[in-house]
Amino acid sequence: MDNVDKEPSMLKQKEMIGAHFDRLAEAPAQGKKVVYTFVPGNLTELLLSFDVLPVYPEINALQSAMRKRSGDFISEAERIGHSEDVCTYVKCDIGMKRSGNIGPTGKPIPKPDLLLLSYTGCFTFLKWFELLREEYDCPVVLLHTPYQADGEITPSMREYMVRQIRSEVIPALEKLTGRAYDEDRLRECLELSRQAEDDMVHVLESAQNRPSPIDAYFGGVFYIGPMFTAFRGTKAAVDYYAMLKQEVDARIARGEGPITPDGPMGPEKYRLVVEGPPNWTHFREFWRMFSEEGAVVVASTYTKVGGVFDFGFRHDPNDPLGTLADYCMGCYTNRSLPQRVEMLASYAKKFSADGILVNSVKSCNSFSAGQLVILREVEKRTGIAGGFIETDLVDARYFSAANVKNRIESYLQMIEQKRSGKTEEVRA
Amino acid sequence: MVDAKQTVTEIVARADALYHDLEFGAVKRWKETHPGGKVIGCLPTYAPRELAHAAGMLPVYLRGAGDQVEIIRGDAYFQSYICQLPRGMIELALSGRLDSFDGFLFPAICDVIRNLSGIWQLHFPDKLARYLDIPQNFDVEVGGRFYAEELRRLLTDFEQLSGQKVSDDALRHSIGVYNTHRRVIQNLMDLRSEKPWLVPADETYLVLRAGDVLPVEEHIEMIKQYLQSVVELERPMRDHSRVVVSGAFCEQPPLGLIRTLERAGCYIVWDDMTISARFIAGDVSTSGDPCVALARAFIEQGVESASVYSCKKKKGSELCETVRKAGAQGVIFAAPSFCDPALLDQPMLQTALDQESIPWTAFKYAENLGQFQVIREQAGTFSDSIRLWGA
């Protein structure tokens, strides 16, 4: 969004992220410990309570893609034997490490002192950290998050999670930092999380307005940034979301739509629900394919990948370890396909959507396997038009701009036809 | 000698017929002879079949549609970058070939099989579709406790499906039966690594795959008879190299590919194609709480697998050990296209082999692959190179 006037929250987020990467770059000199972990099912509050700095390899990968660096990193990984078939986040990360591990601000990202493998909703995470373990000489602690296969969290699942956190994750952090587990400190972080979560949900739910003041997919990925990464559980995140909420409320009051990379969006013509992660290599171009057509995304599942908060869950300071367990198990990709269908169908209704569009990425089987079934089920249940496009996360070879644009335009025409059909029916 | 030859021929012919029968005639016949009996289809890689057996059910491993069924409807369910096995499963189900199955078990192996369980829940609501979360935490008091509880929940589901309450004694008996099964399979594996010319790769494969569908007691007898007879045969020892095949633990290579490897000059002395029945090494305890015993065996005796987080040893050390124990000269990595677990594992395993100067080669396949010439040339060159130069 370099070409448009930035709102204060955008500037604040940029400043927060920049400061985090500065802290990371200075960590070895400052004697700060660095923990690599994943976005889904992250234990950020617990890490902060130990005063360690988290690094999220997926974030590094997507930022590399946005800076057009991922292609080289992926090539490097494939050169050393990684298959062209597998997750490009992994290859981008391995290639980035082999190329000096320079972060998005141009400063080096330090080696991990601990790999916290939060295995939540994505099998590839296991392999990813097995691979990183080979790269770095540091301990690994695993947190296995059971899958909500039957659409529920059983007491046994919760107990398993809590036991892992208590008997493995916390001791690993205590050993790493030389500090004792401080539950009061954790409660404070969880309380700050809860406050920020309230405001973030308010922002995401604002898309029920017409016009929607936000784009809940392309804009949404910026809104979830602090919440899903190093800032949940901090005062900075609380302030950021309060500021964002104010801005969004002001846009609602003025009857304005979302701000896109090209400035305020024109008249809202289509309201879409999107399933699946975005493409990062052509992020702006991809967004523009929608915004130029007046298509706004009013709800997305990708913005739930690091936590589902819009169905009532909030971190609970009164049950610190149990709430971390519930949070991890509730993340979007840890939910069964019937739950995902249910969620999408509810979004279609709640946000008065004209259609549901799946962006199926080659790299992510956790999201992608079954998406065609999900699409048909949601269409069947809601009656709205379904569309399907294919791209990838960070491998530009799988983003065919002309093809994607064609499909989006055809899809929007289909929605238009469906509307005229309905109008004709009403007239008749 | 004549009898032995005939016995082997008959056993292999029977196993071959079972392998090729994707109408699952054996399952239907079992149901005819077991009125009211229930059949549970188990996806790869490892399913605790003891639970189904104890509930009077027939557990059957399902491994896609192979190269025998044209995938028409299955392709409409998955994008081009998803592996072949789930397409085959959908095709089998939608074509009615799985109608005689009463339930399906989807063990945690990868995101595709995991999500396939959800497709089953949505599409076949009248059948049990059960996902089994295997523990990735290997502390008996943490992961073991969780898994034992998962097994109890699964057992309850099986009891409901079969209408048969399972006592601890009944489950211990089933564990004992499967212990025997594991032992006879190990005997076959031992013979294979000692005298691979006696037990050709395709025969071994077919005989082991027969265990996917036969009742375990029948399969034990089949292996025993095969072993007794095959050692009496005079089969020529060829100037082949000895290889381990790794990466084919889920979607299976076509039979033609397995034959191709041997014809190209490779004796397969160990593989993970049939790892399901060998997932737990050694006996499971038949004393104490049987679910705890099964959980403990998984934690403590489970083999290295791409579907399981590797924390016990350095990645690849178990493969190197397998190579040494089996007296293999090299490793062929044969992985299905788009198989995340196998393909993400490969660079780590290859590094481990390199560090021990164990030669390897790698290719990908799909279960419906029809052309083997390129693989034959690759495997032949690999075999020649390790026989002539050791690498």
Side-chain angles (χ1 to χ4, degrees):
Chain A
M1 298 198 182
D2 295 335
N3 312 326
V4 295
D5 287 339
K6 288 188 166 62
E7 293 199 290
S9 69
M10 294 177 191
L11 297 170
K12 179 167 178 62
Q13 185 176 150
K14 190 173 180 185
E15 184 190 306
M16 286 161 71
I17 291 170
H20 180 65
F21 280 102
D22 285 348
R23 282 196 295 275
L24 280 172
E26 290 157 14
Q30 302 280 334
K32 280 264 197 182
K33 301 295 183 188
V34 174
V35 175
Y36 286 17
T37 192
F38 292 110
V39 168
N42 66 67
L43 301 180
T44 299
E45 296 90 346
L46 185 64
L47 297 179
L48 296 179
S49 76
F50 278 95
D51 201 23
V52 299
L53 291 168
V55 169
Y56 306 88
E58 314 102 297
I59 304 295
N60 295 341
L62 72 88
Q63 283 178 333
S64 296
M66 291 176 103
R67 288 180 295 129
K68 311 289 181 197
R69 298 291 314 278
S70 56
D72 291 342
F73 295 154
I74 290 167
S75 298
E76 173 62 16
E78 290 179 356
R79 191 187 63 73
I80 59 171
H82 288 268
S83 169
E84 65 271 26
D85 287 359
V86 302
C87 173
T88 52
Y89 266 174
V90 178
K91 287 186 288 188
C92 184
D93 188 41
I94 298 282
M96 177 174 152
K97 190 265 168 188
R98 295 274 176 129
S99 309
N101 224 24
I102 304 299
T105 55
K107 293 179 180 172
I109 296 177
K111 289 179 182 176
D113 297 297
L114 176 73
L115 294 169
L116 170 52
L117 201 183
S118 56
Y119 166 41
T120 301
C122 168
F123 177 83
T124 297
F125 286 162
L126 285 181
K127 299 286 112 188
W128 193 338
F129 269 20
E130 280 181 0
L131 284 158
L132 285 197
R133 192 180 60 188
E134 303 283 310
E135 300 280 330
Y136 300 109
D137 183 22
C138 77
V140 186
V141 62
L142 168 84
L143 177 68
H144 171 203
T145 302
Y147 182 59
Q148 284 200 49
D150 297 323
E152 60 172 358
I153 295 171
T154 66
S156 164
M157 289 159 70
R158 198 169 195 263
E159 193 184 306
Y160 176 42
M161 290 288 292
V162 170
R163 195 170 284 131
Q164 288 180 85
I165 297 170
R166 184 176 286 130
S167 68
E168 308 223 347
V169 179
I170 289 175
L173 289 167
E174 285 180 328
K175 189 175 174 191
L176 176 72
T177 60
R179 289 179 179 210
Y181 167 56
D182 182 347
E183 194 154 279
D184 289 337
R185 172 83 185 103
L186 176 59
R187 286 180 206 275
E188 286 167 19
C189 294
L190 292 168
E191 172 55 29
L192 292 171
S193 294
R194 192 191 59 71
Q195 291 172 28
E197 287 156 9
D198 276 345
D199 283 348
M200 189 186 79
V201 169
H202 177 91
V203 169
L204 294 177
E205 304 241 311
S206 71
Q208 290 174 84
N209 288 278
R210 278 183 191 265
S212 168
I214 62 162
D215 184 288
Y217 185 54
F218 296 106
V221 302
F222 294 101
Y223 304 149
I224 59 173
M227 182 64 74
F228 287 4
T229 60
F231 306 100
R232 203 180 59 240
T234 65
K235 180 74 171 58
V238 174
D239 293 345
Y240 166 78
Y241 283 103
M243 187 182 276
L244 179 63
K245 182 184 169 190
Q246 271 186 357
E247 289 167 4
V248 168
D249 284 346
R251 285 213 289 277
I252 294 170
R254 295 193 297 267
E256 291 174 358
I259 296 174
T260 75
D262 302 314
M265 202 180 105
E268 175 185 298
K269 286 159 67 180
Y270 308 99
R271 296 168 65 84
L272 305 178
V273 171
V274 172
E275 147 75 15
N279 162 269
W280 300 107
T281 57
H282 297 72
F283 186 80
R284 289 184 176 200
E285 192 179 351
F286 193 28
W287 188 350
R288 199 170 285 127
M289 289 176 192
F290 290 78
S291 60
E292 282 181 352
E293 299 291 334
V296 63
V297 181
V298 289
S300 67
T301 53
Y302 182 69
T303 50
K304 314 297 158 21
V305 78
V308 174
F309 300 103
D310 50 352
F311 290 87
F313 172 80
R314 296 287 182 277
H315 279 94
D316 178 6
N318 297 314
D319 179 14
L321 301 191
T323 202
L324 290 174
D326 291 341
Y327 156 73
C328 292
M329 289 188 282
C331 288
Y332 180 68
T333 49
N334 201 53
R335 293 176 178 235
S336 70
L337 255 60
Q339 283 179 297
R340 287 168 62 181
V341 167
E342 194 60 43
M343 190 185 286
L344 283 159
S346 76
Y347 284 161
K349 191 176 170 190
K350 183 175 184 177
F351 292 91
S352 310
D354 300 305
I356 169 179
L357 181 74
V358 174
N359 179 39
S360 179
V361 296
K362 171 193 164 284
S363 275
C364 185
N365 288 343
S366 177
F367 259 107
S368 302
Q371 275 178 328
L372 287 158
V373 175
I374 289 176
L375 184 65
R376 283 195 287 267
E377 281 291 321
V378 176
E379 277 184 294
K380 196 168 76 184
R381 292 185 194 191
T382 62
I384 62 172
F388 198 86
I389 50 177
E390 288 181 290
T391 66
D392 186 48
L393 294 168
V394 294
D395 193 337
R397 293 174 295 187
Y398 297 97
F399 188 88
S400 168
N403 189 23
V404 172
K405 193 170 190 326
N406 263 341
R407 283 206 182 195
I408 291 169
E409 285 173 358
S410 304
Y411 173 59
L412 297 176
Q413 280 171 16
M414 187 170 85
I415 291 176
E416 202 61 62
Q417 279 173 353
K418 212 166 175 172
R419 274 183 189 158
S420 352
K422 271 187 187 161
T423 313
E424 291 304 316
E425 275 174 32
V426 172
R427 279 184 191 148
Chain B
M1 174 69 187
V2 174
D3 285 349
K5 190 174 178 185
Q6 190 167 341
T7 303
V8 168
T9 305
E10 283 172 6
I11 288 171
V12 173
R14 186 178 176 214
D16 184 75
L18 289 168
Y19 171 84
H20 283 100
D21 180 14
L22 286 178
E23 300 295 331
F24 295 97
V27 169
K28 290 171 188 153
R29 286 191 292 279
W30 183 86
K31 288 194 105 167
E32 282 165 13
T33 54
H34 296 76
K38 303 294 181 190
V39 178
I40 182 97
C42 307
L43 277 286
T45 301
Y46 164 72
R49 290 182 292 174
E50 291 88 342
L51 302 184
H53 182 266
M57 296 162 64
L58 178 67
V60 173
Y61 270 119
L62 294 169
R63 302 180 193 275
D67 57 356
Q68 301 169 67
V69 175
E70 189 185 357
I71 306 298
I72 301 166
R73 284 160 284 203
D75 275 345
Y77 281 69
F78 296 100
Q79 301 90 321
S80 56
Y81 50 79
I82 304 287
C83 58
Q84 195 66 21
L85 184 139
R87 304 164 199 277
M89 288 302 303
I90 292 285
E91 194 68 36
L92 292 177
L94 293 180
S95 60
R97 290 176 173 92
L98 301 180
D99 284 355
S100 49
F101 288 73
D102 302 286
F104 298 86
L105 184 66
F106 301 83
I109 169 172
C110 70
D111 294 329
V112 174
I113 297 288
R114 186 197 72 179
N115 288 5
L116 189 63
S117 73
I119 294 177
W120 235 260
Q121 288 170 343
L122 287 165
H123 267 41
F124 310 105
D126 55 332
K127 306 263 184 182
L128 173 71
R130 185 66 157 71
Y131 177 77
L132 178 67
D133 223 338
I134 58 168
Q136 301 290 355
N137 175 296
F138 295 93
D139 181 330
V140 172
E141 286 303 314
V142 183
R145 197 187 285 199
F146 165 72
Y147 189 46
E149 196 52 43
E150 279 293 290
L151 292 176
R152 284 189 197 102
R153 279 183 57 223
L154 181 61
L155 187 60
T156 305
D157 286 350
F158 285 173
E159 285 174 336
Q160 279 172 4
L161 188 63
S162 66
Q164 197 170 312
K165 188 77 187 156
V166 177
S167 68
D168 281 358
D169 280 342
L171 184 49
R172 280 192 282 264
H173 168 74
S174 297
I175 289 173
V177 173
Y178 276 93
N179 281 342
T180 306
H181 191 229
R182 280 183 273 270
R183 273 182 239 134
V184 294
I185 287 176
Q186 190 54 50
N187 292 342
L188 177 53
M189 296 304 290
D190 290 344
L191 177 61
R192 188 187 199 187
S193 66
E194 282 165 27
K195 297 176 179 175
W197 57 93
L198 284 183
V199 282
D202 59 340
E203 269 191 29
T204 313
Y205 181 73
L206 287 170
V207 168
L208 289 173
R209 283 290 305 271
D212 284 358
V213 69
L214 285 177
V216 62
E217 295 85 353
E218 270 187 60
H219 193 232
I220 289 169
E221 287 311 309
M222 175 188 262
I223 296 173
K224 279 182 178 172
Q225 279 184 22
Y226 176 72
L227 281 170
Q228 275 170 12
S229 305
V230 85
V231 290
E232 291 181 30
L233 300 185
E234 285 178 13
R235 285 175 156 170
M237 183 173 76
R238 300 184 197 282
D239 183 25
H240 281 8
S241 60
R242 298 164 60 90
V243 301
V244 157
V245 172
S246 173
F249 47 86
C250 181
E251 180 179 321
Q252 294 292 286
L255 195 56
L257 195 156
I258 297 167
R259 289 186 175 128
T260 295
L261 294 181
E262 197 154 275
R263 283 176 191 155
C266 299
Y267 278 136
I268 301 173
V269 291
W270 189 92
D271 68 73
D272 61 5
M273 295 181 280
T274 52
I275 198 73
S276 299
R278 295 181 279 126
F279 213 87
I280 290 176
D283 282 0
V284 177
S285 170
T286 50
S287 60
D289 182 326
C291 285
V292 170
L294 282 166
R296 205 174 182 112
F298 181 85
I299 299 252
E300 295 177 343
Q301 298 159 234
V303 296
E304 182 179 74
S305 163
S307 61
V308 176
Y309 176 62
S310 167
C311 66
K312 297 178 201 166
K313 300 174 187 167
K314 186 172 164 49
K315 191 83 191 171
S317 62
E318 196 162 315
L319 179 61
C320 294
E321 209 177 306
T322 298
V323 169
R324 279 192 295 273
K325 275 188 187 165
Q329 297 159 291
V331 173
I332 294 178
F333 289 101
S337 295
F338 303 109
C339 175
D340 264 359
L343 293 170
L344 285 163
D345 247 19
Q346 269 189 17
M348 292 180 277
L349 299 177
Q350 289 163 357
T351 302
L353 294 176
D354 286 343
Q355 285 167 353
E356 300 214 11
S357 302
I358 298 169
W360 55 267
T361 189
F363 59 78
K364 290 186 290 186
Y365 65 85
E367 64 179 11
N368 59 351
L369 182 73
Q371 296 289 328
F372 308 119
Q373 188 55 33
V374 174
I375 289 175
R376 182 170 183 154
E377 284 168 15
Q378 185 181 346
T381 306
F382 181 64
S383 175
D384 289 346
S385 69
I386 57 180
R387 273 183 300 131
L388 294 173
W389 302 294

